[in-house]
Amino acid sequence: MADRPLTLMAVHAHPDDEATGTGGLLARSAAEGIRTVLVTCTDGSCGDGPGGVKPGEPGHDPAAVVAMRQEELAKSCAVLGVDHLELLGYADSGMMGWPNNDAAGSFWTTPVPAAAAKLAELIRHYQPDVVVTYDENGFYGHPDHIQAHRITMAAVAETGLPAKVYWTTAPRSKMDEFSKIMKELGADWEDPDDEDGPLSEVGLPDDEITTWLDTRAYGGQKYDALAAHASQSENIFFLRMGRERFTELMGIETFVRVQDRTGVATPEDDLFAGLR
Ligand SMILES: [Zn+2]
């Protein structure tokens, strides 16, 4: 183990997920000398086009959207100090229920073992100590996030290499405050108390969160990484908070540890606890 640097691998669905979910973790890890690898599974072709055009609307050219989002992703990675960006290149499946879900080449229709084999190859290559992805619900039910979860867990099981595996999460205690701010900023935001709403499944009770990571010192980088993805309308609401409020709200990143070989007690405040 001594002949390679400590390594973090984050597996995300779309260009921009790295910033919202793990921007602080990536920036902090890079600052601490940890090698950082970002795997982005899809091309983001179902994202907004220039000027906010939505998929299916006139002027939404998926190839142009992909090119724009690759550029944004490269910029975000530079801001966050990501050492290696790996693109699996699957077609964005769109939101649950969209016809893109079943389109040929979509990430959602790709058999899990096929995509997991590609990821397993990257895990063998980089040998990450820590792997981070989403929970079974893909954090909020997006098919590509669910698929990213599935292929990550399959690749981890196949290789048996990472010492610690985490899923991103959010404390339920914060959801009310969060939705209040998003509404205030004009986002079409669901009420987390709505039992049928998509946010009713998001996050965990505080006492089920194993890992609280203070990334407030890297809030500016996280904000700038998200700003690199300003073409996507859902990011604009976050950016409207401004750096300070954004850092206050998004500066503590939370995770649930689902695999561990270190035996470090939880709650912990460092994903690399027991590995340094
Ligand atoms: Zn996403």
Side-chain angles (χ1 to χ4, degrees):
M1 240 166 100
D3 56 348
R4 63 177 184 83
L6 270 181
T7 301
L8 166 71
M9 178 182 279
V11 184
H12 281 291
H14 307 105
D16 78 4
D17 293 319
E18 79 289 348
T20 23
T22 55
L25 168 65
L26 287 165
R28 179 176 151 168
S29 300
E32 291 175 347
I34 291 165
R35 181 170 63 153
T36 55
V37 182
L38 169 64
V39 180
T40 301
C41 297
T42 78
D43 60 9
S45 52
C46 289
D48 296 349
V53 272
K54 299 286 177 193
E57 286 178 2
H60 189 279
D61 171 5
V65 172
V66 169
M68 174 181 73
R69 299 196 72 185
Q70 293 317 331
E71 238 172 79
E72 293 177 341
L73 181 58
K75 221 188 281 176
S76 167
C77 285
V79 168
L80 297 174
V82 170
D83 294 307
H84 302 276
L85 169 63
E86 297 284 355
L87 304 171
L88 296 190
Y90 292 105
D92 192 335
S93 313
M95 301 297 271
M96 196 61 95
W98 287 14
N100 310 65
N101 291 177
D102 307 315
S106 83
F107 190 33
W108 186 235
T109 55
T110 302
V112 169
K118 276 198 194 183
L119 183 60
E121 214 173 286
L122 293 173
I123 290 178
R124 287 191 191 99
H125 177 71
Y126 291 107
Q127 302 194 26
D129 304 277
V130 171
V131 169
V132 180
T133 190
Y134 317 105
D135 60 24
E136 309 95 314
N137 186 39
F139 189 65
Y140 73 108
H142 191 298
D144 288 329
H145 289 236
I146 294 171
Q147 189 77 334
H149 162 86
R150 291 177 179 166
I151 74 158
T152 304
M153 299 316 287
V156 163
E158 188 185 323
T159 59
L161 286 171
K164 295 172 102 179
V165 179
Y166 292 88
W167 299 341
T168 55
T169 190
R172 290 248 170 91
S173 63
K174 276 271 186 183
M175 289 311 288
D176 280 340
E177 183 194 351
F178 187 73
S179 84
K180 215 174 91 195
I181 292 174
M182 292 305 277
K183 276 184 191 159
E184 196 184 302
L185 294 166
D188 181 15
W189 196 257
E190 306 286 339
D191 191 336
D193 294 332
D194 172 1
E195 277 179 24
D196 303 318
L199 290 183
S200 61
E201 300 285 307
V202 165
L204 285 175
D206 290 18
D207 61 357
E208 290 177 32
I209 292 174
T210 60
T211 312
W212 302 75
L213 185 72
D214 187 348
T215 68
R216 284 172 295 185
Y218 306 92
Q221 274 169 273
K222 181 167 172 164
Y223 184 87
D224 289 345
L226 198 62
H229 296 287
S231 68
Q232 303 305 301
S233 59
E234 69 269 25
N235 296 334
I236 294 167
F237 294 107
F238 287 104
L239 297 172
R240 277 190 197 152
M241 283 182 217
R243 259 161 221 275
E244 223 163 282
R245 206 160 174 213
F246 176 82
T247 299
E248 217 173 275
L249 192 71
M250 309 280 286
I252 308 287
E253 293 184 349
T254 48
F255 304 88
V256 55
R257 192 173 88 187
V258 292
Q259 288 187 24
D260 173 60
R261 279 208 293 265
T262 66
V264 167
T266 57
E268 55 181 10
D269 61 4
D270 175 15
L271 283 74
F272 285 84
L275 294 168
R276 294 178 196 261

